[in-house]
PDB file of all heavy atoms in Angstrom:
ATOM      1  N   THR A   1     -19.255  23.629 -62.607  1.00  0.00           N
ATOM      2  CA  THR A   1     -20.013  24.718 -63.233  1.00  0.00           C
ATOM      3  C   THR A   1     -19.119  25.564 -64.136  1.00  0.00           C
ATOM      4  O   THR A   1     -19.503  25.917 -65.256  1.00  0.00           O
ATOM      5  CB  THR A   1     -20.647  25.609 -62.143  1.00  0.00           C
ATOM      6  OG1 THR A   1     -21.431  24.800 -61.272  1.00  0.00           O
ATOM      7  CG2 THR A   1     -21.517  26.677 -62.758  1.00  0.00           C
ATOM      8  N   LEU A   2     -17.919  25.898 -63.657  1.00  0.00           N
ATOM      9  CA  LEU A   2     -17.001  26.696 -64.474  1.00  0.00           C
ATOM     10  C   LEU A   2     -16.590  25.941 -65.733  1.00  0.00           C
ATOM     11  O   LEU A   2     -16.486  26.533 -66.819  1.00  0.00           O
ATOM     12  CB  LEU A   2     -15.767  27.076 -63.648  1.00  0.00           C
ATOM     13  CG  LEU A   2     -16.015  28.011 -62.453  1.00  0.00           C
ATOM     14  CD1 LEU A   2     -14.727  28.235 -61.674  1.00  0.00           C
ATOM     15  CD2 LEU A   2     -16.603  29.341 -62.908  1.00  0.00           C
ATOM     16  N   VAL A   3     -16.347  24.635 -65.606  1.00  0.00           N
ATOM     17  CA  VAL A   3     -15.999  23.830 -66.787  1.00  0.00           C
ATOM     18  C   VAL A   3     -17.177  23.783 -67.746  1.00  0.00           C
ATOM     19  O   VAL A   3     -17.008  23.934 -68.965  1.00  0.00           O
ATOM     20  CB  VAL A   3     -15.588  22.402 -66.346  1.00  0.00           C
ATOM     21  CG1 VAL A   3     -15.516  21.478 -67.551  1.00  0.00           C
ATOM     22  CG2 VAL A   3     -14.240  22.440 -65.631  1.00  0.00           C
ATOM     23  N   ALA A   4     -18.389  23.592 -67.217  1.00  0.00           N
ATOM     24  CA  ALA A   4     -19.578  23.550 -68.070  1.00  0.00           C
ATOM     25  C   ALA A   4     -19.814  24.884 -68.773  1.00  0.00           C
ATOM     26  O   ALA A   4     -20.322  24.920 -69.900  1.00  0.00           O
ATOM     27  CB  ALA A   4     -20.803  23.164 -67.240  1.00  0.00           C
ATOM     28  N   LEU A   5     -19.441  25.951 -68.122  1.00  0.00           N
ATOM     29  CA  LEU A   5     -19.598  27.285 -68.718  1.00  0.00           C
ATOM     30  C   LEU A   5     -18.439  27.644 -69.637  1.00  0.00           C
ATOM     31  O   LEU A   5     -18.376  28.762 -70.152  1.00  0.00           O
ATOM     32  CB  LEU A   5     -19.707  28.346 -67.605  1.00  0.00           C
ATOM     33  CG  LEU A   5     -21.009  28.350 -66.792  1.00  0.00           C
ATOM     34  CD1 LEU A   5     -20.893  29.285 -65.598  1.00  0.00           C
ATOM     35  CD2 LEU A   5     -22.191  28.757 -67.666  1.00  0.00           C
ATOM     36  N   ALA A   6     -17.497  26.702 -69.821  1.00  0.00           N
ATOM     37  CA  ALA A   6     -16.357  26.900 -70.715  1.00  0.00           C
ATOM     38  C   ALA A   6     -15.489  28.075 -70.294  1.00  0.00           C
ATOM     39  O   ALA A   6     -14.937  28.796 -71.134  1.00  0.00           O
ATOM     40  CB  ALA A   6     -16.826  27.062 -72.156  1.00  0.00           C
ATOM     41  N   VAL A   7     -15.363  28.287 -68.995  1.00  0.00           N
ATOM     42  CA  VAL A   7     -14.446  29.316 -68.493  1.00  0.00           C
ATOM     43  C   VAL A   7     -13.020  28.828 -68.732  1.00  0.00           C
ATOM     44  O   VAL A   7     -12.723  27.644 -68.479  1.00  0.00           O
ATOM     45  CB  VAL A   7     -14.686  29.575 -66.989  1.00  0.00           C
ATOM     46  CG1 VAL A   7     -13.654  30.537 -66.430  1.00  0.00           C
ATOM     47  CG2 VAL A   7     -16.096  30.109 -66.779  1.00  0.00           C
ATOM     48  N   PRO A   8     -12.119  29.671 -69.238  1.00  0.00           N
ATOM     49  CA  PRO A   8     -10.740  29.233 -69.496  1.00  0.00           C
ATOM     50  C   PRO A   8     -10.107  28.592 -68.265  1.00  0.00           C
ATOM     51  O   PRO A   8     -10.360  29.001 -67.130  1.00  0.00           O
ATOM     52  CB  PRO A   8     -10.032  30.536 -69.882  1.00  0.00           C
ATOM     53  CG  PRO A   8     -11.116  31.391 -70.441  1.00  0.00           C
ATOM     54  CD  PRO A   8     -12.345  31.056 -69.652  1.00  0.00           C
ATOM     55  N   ALA A   9      -9.292  27.561 -68.520  1.00  0.00           N
ATOM     56  CA  ALA A   9      -8.699  26.783 -67.426  1.00  0.00           C
ATOM     57  C   ALA A   9      -7.929  27.671 -66.451  1.00  0.00           C
ATOM     58  O   ALA A   9      -8.006  27.483 -65.229  1.00  0.00           O
ATOM     59  CB  ALA A   9      -7.786  25.700 -67.994  1.00  0.00           C
ATOM     60  N   GLU A  10      -7.185  28.637 -66.978  1.00  0.00           N
ATOM     61  CA  GLU A  10      -6.397  29.518 -66.103  1.00  0.00           C
ATOM     62  C   GLU A  10      -7.300  30.278 -65.141  1.00  0.00           C
ATOM     63  O   GLU A  10      -6.993  30.416 -63.951  1.00  0.00           O
ATOM     64  CB  GLU A  10      -5.577  30.489 -66.949  1.00  0.00           C
ATOM     65  CG  GLU A  10      -4.683  31.407 -66.141  1.00  0.00           C
ATOM     66  CD  GLU A  10      -3.880  32.358 -67.019  1.00  0.00           C
ATOM     67  OE1 GLU A  10      -3.940  32.214 -68.265  1.00  0.00           O
ATOM     68  OE2 GLU A  10      -3.201  33.239 -66.462  1.00  0.00           O
ATOM     69  N   ASP A  11      -8.431  30.767 -65.662  1.00  0.00           N
ATOM     70  CA  ASP A  11      -9.368  31.497 -64.807  1.00  0.00           C
ATOM     71  C   ASP A  11     -10.030  30.551 -63.806  1.00  0.00           C
ATOM     72  O   ASP A  11     -10.266  30.919 -62.651  1.00  0.00           O
ATOM     73  CB  ASP A  11     -10.431  32.189 -65.659  1.00  0.00           C
ATOM     74  CG  ASP A  11      -9.862  33.324 -66.490  1.00  0.00           C
ATOM     75  OD1 ASP A  11      -8.721  33.750 -66.190  1.00  0.00           O
ATOM     76  OD2 ASP A  11     -10.535  33.779 -67.422  1.00  0.00           O
ATOM     77  N   CYS A  12     -10.348  29.330 -64.234  1.00  0.00           N
ATOM     78  CA  CYS A  12     -10.937  28.349 -63.311  1.00  0.00           C
ATOM     79  C   CYS A  12     -10.018  28.110 -62.125  1.00  0.00           C
ATOM     80  O   CYS A  12     -10.448  28.120 -60.968  1.00  0.00           O
ATOM     81  CB  CYS A  12     -11.179  27.019 -64.032  1.00  0.00           C
ATOM     82  SG  CYS A  12     -12.529  27.032 -65.216  1.00  0.00           S
ATOM     83  N   LEU A  13      -8.739  27.881 -62.403  1.00  0.00           N
ATOM     84  CA  LEU A  13      -7.775  27.603 -61.334  1.00  0.00           C
ATOM     85  C   LEU A  13      -7.645  28.791 -60.394  1.00  0.00           C
ATOM     86  O   LEU A  13      -7.580  28.628 -59.172  1.00  0.00           O
ATOM     87  CB  LEU A  13      -6.409  27.262 -61.945  1.00  0.00           C
ATOM     88  CG  LEU A  13      -6.367  26.014 -62.830  1.00  0.00           C
ATOM     89  CD1 LEU A  13      -4.976  25.824 -63.418  1.00  0.00           C
ATOM     90  CD2 LEU A  13      -6.776  24.778 -62.040  1.00  0.00           C
ATOM     91  N   PHE A  14      -7.627  30.009 -60.952  1.00  0.00           N
ATOM     92  CA  PHE A  14      -7.484  31.206 -60.121  1.00  0.00           C
ATOM     93  C   PHE A  14      -8.695  31.374 -59.206  1.00  0.00           C
ATOM     94  O   PHE A  14      -8.547  31.598 -57.995  1.00  0.00           O
ATOM     95  CB  PHE A  14      -7.332  32.439 -61.012  1.00  0.00           C
ATOM     96  CG  PHE A  14      -7.218  33.724 -60.250  1.00  0.00           C
ATOM     97  CD1 PHE A  14      -6.006  34.136 -59.720  1.00  0.00           C
ATOM     98  CD2 PHE A  14      -8.331  34.528 -60.031  1.00  0.00           C
ATOM     99  CE1 PHE A  14      -5.898  35.315 -59.001  1.00  0.00           C
ATOM    100  CE2 PHE A  14      -8.236  35.704 -59.312  1.00  0.00           C
ATOM    101  CZ  PHE A  14      -7.013  36.088 -58.807  1.00  0.00           C
ATOM    102  N   VAL A  15      -9.898  31.247 -59.774  1.00  0.00           N
ATOM    103  CA  VAL A  15     -11.120  31.447 -58.993  1.00  0.00           C
ATOM    104  C   VAL A  15     -11.246  30.388 -57.906  1.00  0.00           C
ATOM    105  O   VAL A  15     -11.527  30.689 -56.736  1.00  0.00           O
ATOM    106  CB  VAL A  15     -12.356  31.427 -59.914  1.00  0.00           C
ATOM    107  CG1 VAL A  15     -13.636  31.443 -59.097  1.00  0.00           C
ATOM    108  CG2 VAL A  15     -12.326  32.625 -60.863  1.00  0.00           C
ATOM    109  N   LEU A  16     -10.998  29.124 -58.254  1.00  0.00           N
ATOM    110  CA  LEU A  16     -11.110  28.050 -57.268  1.00  0.00           C
ATOM    111  C   LEU A  16     -10.103  28.227 -56.139  1.00  0.00           C
ATOM    112  O   LEU A  16     -10.423  28.024 -54.964  1.00  0.00           O
ATOM    113  CB  LEU A  16     -10.892  26.696 -57.954  1.00  0.00           C
ATOM    114  CG  LEU A  16     -12.019  26.232 -58.887  1.00  0.00           C
ATOM    115  CD1 LEU A  16     -11.571  25.030 -59.694  1.00  0.00           C
ATOM    116  CD2 LEU A  16     -13.278  25.904 -58.096  1.00  0.00           C
ATOM    117  N   GLY A  17      -8.874  28.613 -56.481  1.00  0.00           N
ATOM    118  CA  GLY A  17      -7.851  28.794 -55.458  1.00  0.00           C
ATOM    119  C   GLY A  17      -8.143  29.940 -54.515  1.00  0.00           C
ATOM    120  O   GLY A  17      -7.792  29.891 -53.334  1.00  0.00           O
ATOM    121  N   LYS A  18      -8.813  30.987 -55.027  1.00  0.00           N
ATOM    122  CA  LYS A  18      -9.144  32.143 -54.182  1.00  0.00           C
ATOM    123  C   LYS A  18     -10.323  31.851 -53.253  1.00  0.00           C
ATOM    124  O   LYS A  18     -10.336  32.299 -52.104  1.00  0.00           O
ATOM    125  CB  LYS A  18      -9.477  33.361 -55.062  1.00  0.00           C
ATOM    126  CG  LYS A  18      -8.274  34.016 -55.712  1.00  0.00           C
ATOM    127  CD  LYS A  18      -7.390  34.686 -54.679  1.00  0.00           C
ATOM    128  CE  LYS A  18      -6.249  35.437 -55.312  1.00  0.00           C
ATOM    129  NZ  LYS A  18      -5.377  36.072 -54.300  1.00  0.00           N
ATOM    130  N   ILE A  19     -11.306  31.105 -53.745  1.00  0.00           N
ATOM    131  CA  ILE A  19     -12.502  30.850 -52.943  1.00  0.00           C
ATOM    132  C   ILE A  19     -12.286  29.709 -51.959  1.00  0.00           C
ATOM    133  O   ILE A  19     -12.765  29.751 -50.822  1.00  0.00           O
ATOM    134  CB  ILE A  19     -13.702  30.542 -53.862  1.00  0.00           C
ATOM    135  CG1 ILE A  19     -14.007  31.755 -54.749  1.00  0.00           C
ATOM    136  CG2 ILE A  19     -14.934  30.173 -53.050  1.00  0.00           C
ATOM    137  CD1 ILE A  19     -15.129  31.541 -55.725  1.00  0.00           C
ATOM    138  N   TYR A  20     -11.545  28.679 -52.401  1.00  0.00           N
ATOM    139  CA  TYR A  20     -11.309  27.508 -51.553  1.00  0.00           C
ATOM    140  C   TYR A  20      -9.803  27.368 -51.322  1.00  0.00           C
ATOM    141  O   TYR A  20      -9.097  26.801 -52.178  1.00  0.00           O
ATOM    142  CB  TYR A  20     -11.872  26.243 -52.209  1.00  0.00           C
ATOM    143  CG  TYR A  20     -13.312  26.379 -52.638  1.00  0.00           C
ATOM    144  CD1 TYR A  20     -13.655  26.555 -53.973  1.00  0.00           C
ATOM    145  CD2 TYR A  20     -14.338  26.360 -51.698  1.00  0.00           C
ATOM    146  CE1 TYR A  20     -14.975  26.697 -54.364  1.00  0.00           C
ATOM    147  CE2 TYR A  20     -15.661  26.501 -52.071  1.00  0.00           C
ATOM    148  CZ  TYR A  20     -15.978  26.675 -53.404  1.00  0.00           C
ATOM    149  OH  TYR A  20     -17.283  26.820 -53.776  1.00  0.00           O
ATOM    150  N   PRO A  21      -9.293  27.883 -50.205  1.00  0.00           N
ATOM    151  CA  PRO A  21      -7.837  27.889 -49.968  1.00  0.00           C
ATOM    152  C   PRO A  21      -7.196  26.518 -50.078  1.00  0.00           C
ATOM    153  O   PRO A  21      -6.029  26.410 -50.475  1.00  0.00           O
ATOM    154  CB  PRO A  21      -7.731  28.444 -48.540  1.00  0.00           C
ATOM    155  CG  PRO A  21      -8.968  29.279 -48.366  1.00  0.00           C
ATOM    156  CD  PRO A  21     -10.026  28.564 -49.136  1.00  0.00           C
ATOM    157  N   HIS A  22      -7.938  25.444 -49.750  1.00  0.00           N
ATOM    158  CA  HIS A  22      -7.318  24.118 -49.815  1.00  0.00           C
ATOM    159  C   HIS A  22      -7.050  23.682 -51.252  1.00  0.00           C
ATOM    160  O   HIS A  22      -6.334  22.701 -51.474  1.00  0.00           O
ATOM    161  CB  HIS A  22      -8.205  23.086 -49.114  1.00  0.00           C
ATOM    162  CG  HIS A  22      -9.499  22.818 -49.827  1.00  0.00           C
ATOM    163  ND1 HIS A  22     -10.595  23.670 -49.735  1.00  0.00           N
ATOM    164  CD2 HIS A  22      -9.884  21.803 -50.657  1.00  0.00           C
ATOM    165  CE1 HIS A  22     -11.583  23.180 -50.460  1.00  0.00           C
ATOM    166  NE2 HIS A  22     -11.181  22.046 -51.029  1.00  0.00           N
ATOM    167  N   LEU A  23      -7.583  24.399 -52.231  1.00  0.00           N
ATOM    168  CA  LEU A  23      -7.333  24.085 -53.635  1.00  0.00           C
ATOM    169  C   LEU A  23      -6.235  24.946 -54.238  1.00  0.00           C
ATOM    170  O   LEU A  23      -5.913  24.797 -55.421  1.00  0.00           O
ATOM    171  CB  LEU A  23      -8.618  24.265 -54.453  1.00  0.00           C
ATOM    172  CG  LEU A  23      -9.795  23.342 -54.106  1.00  0.00           C
ATOM    173  CD1 LEU A  23     -10.994  23.685 -54.969  1.00  0.00           C
ATOM    174  CD2 LEU A  23      -9.407  21.881 -54.292  1.00  0.00           C
ATOM    175  N   ALA A  24      -5.654  25.851 -53.421  1.00  0.00           N
ATOM    176  CA  ALA A  24      -4.701  26.824 -53.970  1.00  0.00           C
ATOM    177  C   ALA A  24      -3.377  26.184 -54.369  1.00  0.00           C
ATOM    178  O   ALA A  24      -2.736  26.613 -55.317  1.00  0.00           O
ATOM    179  CB  ALA A  24      -4.457  27.947 -52.956  1.00  0.00           C
ATOM    180  N   GLU A  25      -2.936  25.150 -53.666  1.00  0.00           N
ATOM    181  CA  GLU A  25      -1.628  24.548 -53.923  1.00  0.00           C
ATOM    182  C   GLU A  25      -1.760  23.255 -54.721  1.00  0.00           C
ATOM    183  O   GLU A  25      -1.537  22.165 -54.207  1.00  0.00           O
ATOM    184  CB  GLU A  25      -0.914  24.277 -52.594  1.00  0.00           C
ATOM    185  CG  GLU A  25      -0.649  25.514 -51.763  1.00  0.00           C
ATOM    186  CD  GLU A  25       0.304  26.472 -52.461  1.00  0.00           C
ATOM    187  OE1 GLU A  25       1.130  25.990 -53.263  1.00  0.00           O
ATOM    188  OE2 GLU A  25       0.225  27.688 -52.211  1.00  0.00           O
ATOM    189  N   GLY A  26      -2.150  23.365 -55.977  1.00  0.00           N
ATOM    190  CA  GLY A  26      -2.221  22.190 -56.841  1.00  0.00           C
ATOM    191  C   GLY A  26      -3.530  21.443 -56.787  1.00  0.00           C
ATOM    192  O   GLY A  26      -3.797  20.606 -57.664  1.00  0.00           O
ATOM    193  N   GLY A  27      -4.348  21.685 -55.778  1.00  0.00           N
ATOM    194  CA  GLY A  27      -5.605  20.963 -55.668  1.00  0.00           C
ATOM    195  C   GLY A  27      -6.565  21.289 -56.791  1.00  0.00           C
ATOM    196  O   GLY A  27      -7.304  20.411 -57.270  1.00  0.00           O
ATOM    197  N   ALA A  28      -6.586  22.539 -57.223  1.00  0.00           N
ATOM    198  CA  ALA A  28      -7.497  22.941 -58.291  1.00  0.00           C
ATOM    199  C   ALA A  28      -7.154  22.244 -59.603  1.00  0.00           C
ATOM    200  O   ALA A  28      -8.043  21.806 -60.345  1.00  0.00           O
ATOM    201  CB  ALA A  28      -7.470  24.461 -58.461  1.00  0.00           C
ATOM    202  N   GLU A  29      -5.848  22.124 -59.909  1.00  0.00           N
ATOM    203  CA  GLU A  29      -5.431  21.458 -61.145  1.00  0.00           C
ATOM    204  C   GLU A  29      -5.911  20.005 -61.161  1.00  0.00           C
ATOM    205  O   GLU A  29      -6.450  19.519 -62.160  1.00  0.00           O
ATOM    206  CB  GLU A  29      -3.906  21.492 -61.292  1.00  0.00           C
ATOM    207  CG  GLU A  29      -3.356  22.865 -61.610  1.00  0.00           C
ATOM    208  CD  GLU A  29      -3.007  23.650 -60.362  1.00  0.00           C
ATOM    209  OE1 GLU A  29      -3.581  23.339 -59.286  1.00  0.00           O
ATOM    210  OE2 GLU A  29      -2.179  24.565 -60.451  1.00  0.00           O
ATOM    211  N   ALA A  30      -5.720  19.316 -60.025  1.00  0.00           N
ATOM    212  CA  ALA A  30      -6.139  17.914 -59.951  1.00  0.00           C
ATOM    213  C   ALA A  30      -7.652  17.784 -60.079  1.00  0.00           C
ATOM    214  O   ALA A  30      -8.156  16.863 -60.737  1.00  0.00           O
ATOM    215  CB  ALA A  30      -5.661  17.298 -58.636  1.00  0.00           C
ATOM    216  N   LEU A  31      -8.381  18.704 -59.473  1.00  0.00           N
ATOM    217  CA  LEU A  31      -9.842  18.649 -59.525  1.00  0.00           C
ATOM    218  C   LEU A  31     -10.338  18.871 -60.951  1.00  0.00           C
ATOM    219  O   LEU A  31     -11.191  18.122 -61.452  1.00  0.00           O
ATOM    220  CB  LEU A  31     -10.432  19.693 -58.578  1.00  0.00           C
ATOM    221  CG  LEU A  31     -11.955  19.810 -58.548  1.00  0.00           C
ATOM    222  CD1 LEU A  31     -12.591  18.465 -58.201  1.00  0.00           C
ATOM    223  CD2 LEU A  31     -12.388  20.868 -57.533  1.00  0.00           C
ATOM    224  N   ILE A  32      -9.819  19.891 -61.628  1.00  0.00           N
ATOM    225  CA  ILE A  32     -10.230  20.182 -63.003  1.00  0.00           C
ATOM    226  C   ILE A  32      -9.889  19.010 -63.921  1.00  0.00           C
ATOM    227  O   ILE A  32     -10.670  18.625 -64.797  1.00  0.00           O
ATOM    228  CB  ILE A  32      -9.565  21.472 -63.505  1.00  0.00           C
ATOM    229  CG1 ILE A  32     -10.080  22.690 -62.714  1.00  0.00           C
ATOM    230  CG2 ILE A  32      -9.813  21.677 -64.993  1.00  0.00           C
ATOM    231  CD1 ILE A  32     -11.533  22.989 -62.903  1.00  0.00           C
ATOM    232  N   ALA A  33      -8.703  18.417 -63.711  1.00  0.00           N
ATOM    233  CA  ALA A  33      -8.275  17.300 -64.561  1.00  0.00           C
ATOM    234  C   ALA A  33      -9.175  16.086 -64.404  1.00  0.00           C
ATOM    235  O   ALA A  33      -9.293  15.265 -65.323  1.00  0.00           O
ATOM    236  CB  ALA A  33      -6.826  16.931 -64.240  1.00  0.00           C
ATOM    237  N   SER A  34      -9.817  15.956 -63.246  1.00  0.00           N
ATOM    238  CA  SER A  34     -10.667  14.782 -62.996  1.00  0.00           C
ATOM    239  C   SER A  34     -12.060  14.920 -63.594  1.00  0.00           C
ATOM    240  O   SER A  34     -12.837  13.963 -63.562  1.00  0.00           O
ATOM    241  CB  SER A  34     -10.794  14.550 -61.485  1.00  0.00           C
ATOM    242  OG  SER A  34     -11.577  15.577 -60.875  1.00  0.00           O
ATOM    243  N   LEU A  35     -12.396  16.086 -64.127  1.00  0.00           N
ATOM    244  CA  LEU A  35     -13.749  16.328 -64.615  1.00  0.00           C
ATOM    245  C   LEU A  35     -13.856  16.064 -66.106  1.00  0.00           C
ATOM    246  O   LEU A  35     -12.932  16.377 -66.876  1.00  0.00           O
ATOM    247  CB  LEU A  35     -14.164  17.776 -64.313  1.00  0.00           C
ATOM    248  CG  LEU A  35     -14.197  18.184 -62.846  1.00  0.00           C
ATOM    249  CD1 LEU A  35     -14.572  19.666 -62.720  1.00  0.00           C
ATOM    250  CD2 LEU A  35     -15.185  17.332 -62.064  1.00  0.00           C
ATOM    251  N   ASP A  36     -14.996  15.527 -66.517  1.00  0.00           N
ATOM    252  CA  ASP A  36     -15.310  15.363 -67.933  1.00  0.00           C
ATOM    253  C   ASP A  36     -16.252  16.498 -68.331  1.00  0.00           C
ATOM    254  O   ASP A  36     -17.346  16.629 -67.762  1.00  0.00           O
ATOM    255  CB  ASP A  36     -15.999  14.015 -68.175  1.00  0.00           C
ATOM    256  CG  ASP A  36     -16.385  13.854 -69.637  1.00  0.00           C
ATOM    257  OD1 ASP A  36     -15.506  13.490 -70.437  1.00  0.00           O
ATOM    258  OD2 ASP A  36     -17.556  14.128 -69.979  1.00  0.00           O
ATOM    259  N   PRO A  37     -15.856  17.350 -69.259  1.00  0.00           N
ATOM    260  CA  PRO A  37     -16.686  18.518 -69.610  1.00  0.00           C
ATOM    261  C   PRO A  37     -18.114  18.159 -69.999  1.00  0.00           C
ATOM    262  O   PRO A  37     -19.053  18.859 -69.624  1.00  0.00           O
ATOM    263  CB  PRO A  37     -15.922  19.151 -70.779  1.00  0.00           C
ATOM    264  CG  PRO A  37     -14.496  18.733 -70.560  1.00  0.00           C
ATOM    265  CD  PRO A  37     -14.569  17.350 -69.993  1.00  0.00           C
ATOM    266  N   ALA A  38     -18.295  17.067 -70.761  1.00  0.00           N
ATOM    267  CA  ALA A  38     -19.653  16.691 -71.185  1.00  0.00           C
ATOM    268  C   ALA A  38     -20.504  16.298 -69.985  1.00  0.00           C
ATOM    269  O   ALA A  38     -21.669  16.715 -69.867  1.00  0.00           O
ATOM    270  CB  ALA A  38     -19.581  15.545 -72.190  1.00  0.00           C
ATOM    271  N   GLU A  39     -19.918  15.522 -69.084  1.00  0.00           N
ATOM    272  CA  GLU A  39     -20.669  15.122 -67.896  1.00  0.00           C
ATOM    273  C   GLU A  39     -20.966  16.323 -67.009  1.00  0.00           C
ATOM    274  O   GLU A  39     -22.057  16.433 -66.432  1.00  0.00           O
ATOM    275  CB  GLU A  39     -19.875  14.070 -67.113  1.00  0.00           C
ATOM    276  CG  GLU A  39     -19.760  12.728 -67.817  1.00  0.00           C
ATOM    277  CD  GLU A  39     -18.987  11.726 -66.990  1.00  0.00           C
ATOM    278  OE1 GLU A  39     -18.543  12.090 -65.875  1.00  0.00           O
ATOM    279  OE2 GLU A  39     -18.814  10.578 -67.452  1.00  0.00           O
ATOM    280  N   ALA A  40     -19.989  17.213 -66.887  1.00  0.00           N
ATOM    281  CA  ALA A  40     -20.198  18.423 -66.075  1.00  0.00           C
ATOM    282  C   ALA A  40     -21.335  19.257 -66.651  1.00  0.00           C
ATOM    283  O   ALA A  40     -22.180  19.782 -65.920  1.00  0.00           O
ATOM    284  CB  ALA A  40     -18.911  19.240 -66.008  1.00  0.00           C
ATOM    285  N   THR A  41     -21.380  19.362 -67.987  1.00  0.00           N
ATOM    286  CA  THR A  41     -22.433  20.154 -68.626  1.00  0.00           C
ATOM    287  C   THR A  41     -23.806  19.546 -68.359  1.00  0.00           C
ATOM    288  O   THR A  41     -24.763  20.255 -68.029  1.00  0.00           O
ATOM    289  CB  THR A  41     -22.178  20.241 -70.136  1.00  0.00           C
ATOM    290  OG1 THR A  41     -20.919  20.882 -70.358  1.00  0.00           O
ATOM    291  CG2 THR A  41     -23.281  21.035 -70.826  1.00  0.00           C
ATOM    292  N   LEU A  42     -23.910  18.213 -68.504  1.00  0.00           N
ATOM    293  CA  LEU A  42     -25.192  17.550 -68.245  1.00  0.00           C
ATOM    294  C   LEU A  42     -25.636  17.757 -66.799  1.00  0.00           C
ATOM    295  O   LEU A  42     -26.818  17.993 -66.519  1.00  0.00           O
ATOM    296  CB  LEU A  42     -25.074  16.053 -68.543  1.00  0.00           C
ATOM    297  CG  LEU A  42     -24.923  15.676 -70.019  1.00  0.00           C
ATOM    298  CD1 LEU A  42     -24.681  14.171 -70.160  1.00  0.00           C
ATOM    299  CD2 LEU A  42     -26.163  16.084 -70.815  1.00  0.00           C
TER     300      LEU A  42
END
């Protein structure tokens, strides 16, 4: 949703790490990198 809403990557990583602790140590970066913005938007 954050990628589809074009939220800046830095803010995406911060928000994901705060809400989901298991994504705080590098997990958020890997998750964002695995997403295709066009597919996420659809």
